[in-house]
Amino acid sequence: MAELRVVRHTTHFMEACRFYGETLGWPVTKQWDEPQAGRIFGYGNTARVELIDNETEEAVAGVYLAIEVDDVSHVNATMQIHSVEITQDLTDQPWGHRNFTVLDPTGMTVTFFQVIG
């Protein structure tokens, strides 16, 4: 089976692992400690976010994650419970999505959306 993997080298490794693992509840599908710590978090059957602990980190430009969820209002409430800063409030979009946006601990934009109407 093929998979789509977004790889992020980060100086905020543990915070990012908590965000994807604890806050979002995504399972760790693989992890290692050498030569640099890394973890892969699964979303569904084919999408993965791979985090690699790094001494330097480059800003993310022109790329963001868009994640379809079954209940975007519930995910929004979860972000608020975990004190994740919401950078774009929950909004109904003219193209038929309800969405909101946060920054993950590495500075990557993450938009959660649900198809409506």
Side-chain angles (χ1 to χ4, degrees), residues 16-103:
C17 288
R18 280 192 294 278
F19 177 78
Y20 288 98
E22 295 173 20
T23 303
L24 294 180
W26 294 6
V28 174
T29 61
K30 187 174 183 180
Q31 65 182 14
W32 60 93
D33 294 319
E34 298 293 333
Q36 296 167 292
R39 288 193 188 143
I40 300 173
F41 293 87
Y43 182 70
N45 293 327
T46 59
R48 305 282 180 263
V49 171
E50 180 176 342
L51 301 170
I52 299 173
D53 195 8
N54 209 23
E55 292 180 9
T56 61
E57 179 171 75
E58 294 183 25
V60 178
V63 175
Y64 68 93
L65 296 180
I67 301 168
E68 184 175 9
V69 295
D70 292 331
D71 185 347
V72 74
S73 295
H74 175 75
V75 177
N76 183 272
T78 299
M79 294 297 120
Q80 292 177 31
I81 289 167
H82 287 273
S83 300
V84 175
E85 181 182 356
I86 295 172
T87 58
Q88 180 232 299
D89 291 330
L90 192 58
T91 305
D92 289 351
Q93 302 295 350
W95 53 85
H97 288 177
R98 176 173 294 132
N99 64 16
F100 73 97
T101 300
V102 302
L103 289 178

